Amino acid sequence: MSTIRVQREDFDTAAEVVALKAADNGIGAVVTFTGIVRGNGVTGLTLEHYPGMTEREIARHVNEASARWPLLGVTVVHRIGSLRPGDNIVLVATASSHREPAFEAAEFLMDYLKTRAPFWKLEEAATGTEWVEARGSDNDAVRRWRED
Amino acid sequence: MSTIRVQREDFDTAAEVVALKAADNGIGAVVTFTGIVRGNGVTGLTLEHYPGMTEREIARHVNEASARWPLLGVTVVHRIGSLRPGDNIVLVATASSHREPAFEAAEFLMDYLKTRAPFWKLEEAATGTEWVEARGSDNDAVRRWRED
Amino acid sequence: MIILYFSWIRQKLGTGEERFDVPETIKTVTDLAKHLRARGGPFAEVFSDLKRLRSAVNQEHVGWEASVGQGDEVAFFPPVTGG
Amino acid sequence: MIILYFSWIRQKLGTGEERFDVPETIKTVTDLAKHLRARGGPFAEVFSDLKRLRSAVNQEHVGWEASVGQGDEVAFFPPVTGG
C-alpha cells in the first residue's frame, strides 16, 4: 500500500501510521520521518513546487523503494505554501516486517526527496526573504544508494 | 531532553512526538521507530524484563547516543506484559536539527535495545508457547556502531 | 513548447510560464538556454551561469544535452530544496 | 548474594530469585555456574551449555570470567529479545 500526497494542510502523523498499520498484519516495524520548520531566526517558510513533476518523482522513488526493500506500506506527504516555525513540512512513513528495511527505505526516500523532488524553500527572517540553498551533504547522502 | 519509560500501558506516539518537538525550537527532524506485534500465526506475546537493569541499560545507550550525535531530544518507551497482534511494543523517537543524526541515533538505539536491553519475548500461537530466539542479524547490526 | 521557471528564476524573470515557438536551430536544452540568455536583461542574468541551474523535460530531470522539441514542456529551476 | 533467573531459565528452574551464601571457592561467574550445575536436576540441565546463557553482575552485562562476591546481584538469562 502506498500513499502520496502534496498538500497545503497539515498532516496527522498518528492517523497516517494507523492507516499504514492497518494495511497488513505482518507489519512489525514502522519508521516515520517528520521534517519540521526550524525556529532559529526564521519567521516563516514558503514552499513552492512543480505540480505534476513532484508527484511523478515521488511515485518513482516510492516504486524504487518498494522494489529494493520488502515494504508492507509507504506514506509520503509533503506540504506546500506558507509555514511557520514548528510546522510540519514532510512525512515519510515506511512499514515492514523488520526494522532494517523500514529504516533504510525511509532514509532512501528522504535522500531522494531532498535531492530530486522539485520543491523550493523561501525563508523569511527579520532581515528579509531568501531562497534556501541546496546542501552539498544531501548530494553526498543520495550517492550511497546508487547501484553501480 | 530524554524520556525513558518501561510500562504495561500502550503509548501514544503522537503525544510523545509533540512533547519531544516542544523541547527545542531548533528541531528540524524527528524520526520514530515503532515495533509492533506481528500477526502471522502469533496470537499473543508476553514481554518479561529485568527491572532496574532495563532502565540502566536504556539510559546508558541514550547517553551514548546523545554523546555521539547532536540530538535535541530522545524518547524510549518499551512495553512489558501481555500484548496482542498489532499492539505496540517499543517506541524510539529522536529529534535533531537535521535528518542524518536523527536517523542514525534511532537505528543505534534500536540495535542496542535488541541486543543489550534485558527483555525476553514469549510467543503464543495455536500450537503452544515458545520463547523467541535471538536473531543473529541483530548481533551483526549492532557491530557497525563499535568504534575500534 | 511550454517553458516553466521556478524559485528565484521565476522571481527574477517576473514570470513562471511562457509559450515558445521553437526555432529550427534549437535542438537541446543548452541551445534553448543560450537562446533565452540572448534575450538580455534578466534572462541574460539568469542564464549567465548554467551550473546554478537544473532542467527537466516533460517533468523528468535531464542533463544539458537532452533533446527538446516543439511539443515539450521544459522547466528551469535551481537545485531542489524540499524535504 | 542474590541470584536472578529470567525467561526459560526461570521457567525451567521454577524460581526467579534465590538468596545464596557464596562459598570461598567461588570467585567468578563461571565458578558460580558450575556450582549451580552440580546441584543436578533442572540446574544441571540449564547450566549444561553456558554458550546458551548470558549473565549480569549488579545489573551490568559481564563475561564469564567476571568476579562475583557475597554482596553481588548476579543474573542468568538467555540472549535478550526485546525491541
Side-chain angles (χ1 to χ4, degrees):
Chain A
M1 192 197 74
S2 77
T3 302
I4 296 169
R5 294 201 313 275
V6 177
Q7 63 187 37
R8 289 188 177 271
E9 317 83 69
D10 195 11
F11 49 78
D12 176 348
T13 303
E16 301 295 343
V17 169
V18 165
L20 197 62
K21 275 179 61 173
D24 195 302
N25 81 343
I27 291 173
V30 173
V31 168
T32 71
F33 174 88
T34 309
I36 296 158
V37 182
R38 280 187 297 280
N40 359 32
V42 173
T43 56
L45 194 68
T46 304
L47 267 143
E48 175 175 336
H49 80 131
Y50 182 171
M53 180 167 170
T54 311
E55 293 81 357
R56 286 176 65 150
E57 273 295 313
I58 299 175
R60 211 154 62 82
H61 290 110
V62 165
N63 289 342
E64 191 178 336
S66 301
R68 289 175 77 148
W69 290 281
L71 300 180
L72 298 170
V74 182
T75 299
V76 176
V77 184
H78 204 299
R79 293 181 70 190
I80 51 171
S82 275
L83 305 177
R84 303 264 135 223
D87 280 357
N88 292 325
I89 303 172
V90 60
L91 171 70
V92 167
T94 53
S96 188
S97 55
H98 289 92
R99 72 188 185 288
E100 297 89 345
F103 269 121
E104 287 186 18
E107 290 186 72
F108 170 90
L109 287 169
M110 279 309 304
D111 286 348
Y112 275 93
L113 274 176
K114 287 270 183 189
T115 56
R116 305 287 288 181
F119 291 97
W120 299 276
K121 287 186 185 127
L122 180 67
E123 258 180 20
E124 296 143 41
T127 50
T129 66
E130 202 167 351
W131 290 96
V132 172
E133 295 265 341
R135 290 199 305 162
S137 62
D138 288 328
N139 290 313
D140 298 340
V142 81
R143 269 187 213 109
R144 65 182 151 154
W145 305 111
R146 292 202 192 138
E147 302 171 302
D148 48 29
Chain B
M1 192 196 75
S2 78
T3 303
I4 296 169
R5 295 201 313 274
V6 178
Q7 63 187 39
R8 291 189 176 272
E9 318 83 67
D10 194 11
F11 50 78
D12 175 349
T13 304
E16 300 295 343
V17 169
V18 165
L20 196 62
K21 274 179 60 174
D24 194 302
N25 80 344
I27 292 173
V30 173
V31 169
T32 70
F33 174 88
T34 310
I36 297 157
V37 182
R38 280 186 296 279
N40 0 31
V42 172
T43 56
L45 194 68
T46 304
L47 266 144
E48 176 175 335
H49 80 131
Y50 181 171
M53 179 167 170
T54 311
E55 293 81 356
R56 286 176 64 149
E57 273 294 314
I58 298 175
R60 211 154 62 80
H61 290 110
V62 165
N63 290 341
E64 191 179 336
S66 302
R68 287 174 77 146
W69 291 280
L71 299 179
L72 298 170
V74 182
T75 299
V76 177
V77 185
H78 204 300
R79 293 182 70 192
I80 51 171
S82 275
L83 305 178
R84 302 266 135 223
D87 281 356
N88 291 324
I89 302 172
V90 61
L91 171 70
V92 166
T94 52
S96 187
S97 54
H98 289 93
R99 72 189 184 290
E100 297 88 346
F103 268 120
E104 288 187 17
E107 290 186 73
F108 170 90
L109 287 168
M110 279 309 304
D111 285 349
Y112 275 93
L113 274 175
K114 287 271 182 188
T115 55
R116 306 287 287 182
F119 291 98
W120 300 274
K121 287 185 184 126
L122 180 67
E123 258 180 20
E124 296 144 40
T127 51
T129 66
E130 201 167 351
W131 290 96
V132 172
E133 296 265 341
R135 288 200 306 162
S137 61
D138 288 328
N139 290 313
D140 298 339
V142 83
R143 266 185 215 112
R144 65 181 151 154
W145 305 111
R146 291 200 194 139
E147 300 170 302
D148 47 31
Chain C
M1 175 184 284
I2 294 171
I3 310 179
L4 301 173
Y5 306 107
F6 292 96
S7 181
W8 60 262
I9 299 169
R10 173 182 55 70
Q11 279 194 323
K12 212 156 246 177
L13 298 179
T15 181
E17 179 170 348
E18 64 170 290
R19 296 193 170 262
F20 180 72
D21 278 324
V22 186
E24 281 291 321
T25 51
I26 293 182
K27 307 285 191 203
T28 68
V29 180
T30 302
D31 296 340
L32 177 60
K34 284 181 177 166
H35 179 94
L36 294 169
R37 182 196 298 165
R39 286 176 175 174
F43 281 92
E45 205 181 322
V46 161
F47 290 97
S48 65
D49 181 6
L50 298 188
K51 285 198 299 294
R52 295 185 303 162
L53 308 189
R54 300 290 179 272
S55 63
V57 174
N58 298 326
Q59 308 192 349
E60 292 200 9
H61 291 284
V62 295
W64 290 100
E65 295 315 310
S67 302
V68 293
Q70 182 61 30
D72 290 335
E73 175 178 303
V74 180
F76 293 103
F77 43 80
V80 302
T81 57
Chain D
M1 175 184 284
I2 294 171
I3 310 180
L4 302 173
Y5 306 107
F6 292 96
S7 180
W8 59 262
I9 299 169
R10 173 182 55 71
Q11 280 195 323
K12 212 156 244 175
L13 299 179
T15 180
E17 179 169 348
E18 65 170 288
R19 295 193 171 262
F20 178 73
D21 279 323
V22 185
E24 282 291 321
T25 51
I26 292 182
K27 306 285 189 201
T28 68
V29 180
T30 302
D31 296 341
L32 177 61
K34 285 181 176 167
H35 179 95
L36 294 168
R37 182 196 298 164
R39 287 175 174 174
F43 282 91
E45 206 182 320
V46 161
F47 290 96
S48 64
D49 181 5
L50 298 188
K51 284 197 299 296
R52 295 185 304 160
L53 308 189
R54 300 291 180 271
S55 63
V57 173
N58 299 326
Q59 308 191 349
E60 292 201 8
H61 291 285
V62 295
W64 290 100
E65 294 316 311
S67 302
V68 294
Q70 183 60 29
D72 291 334
E73 174 178 303
V74 180
F76 293 103
F77 44 80
V80 302
T81 57

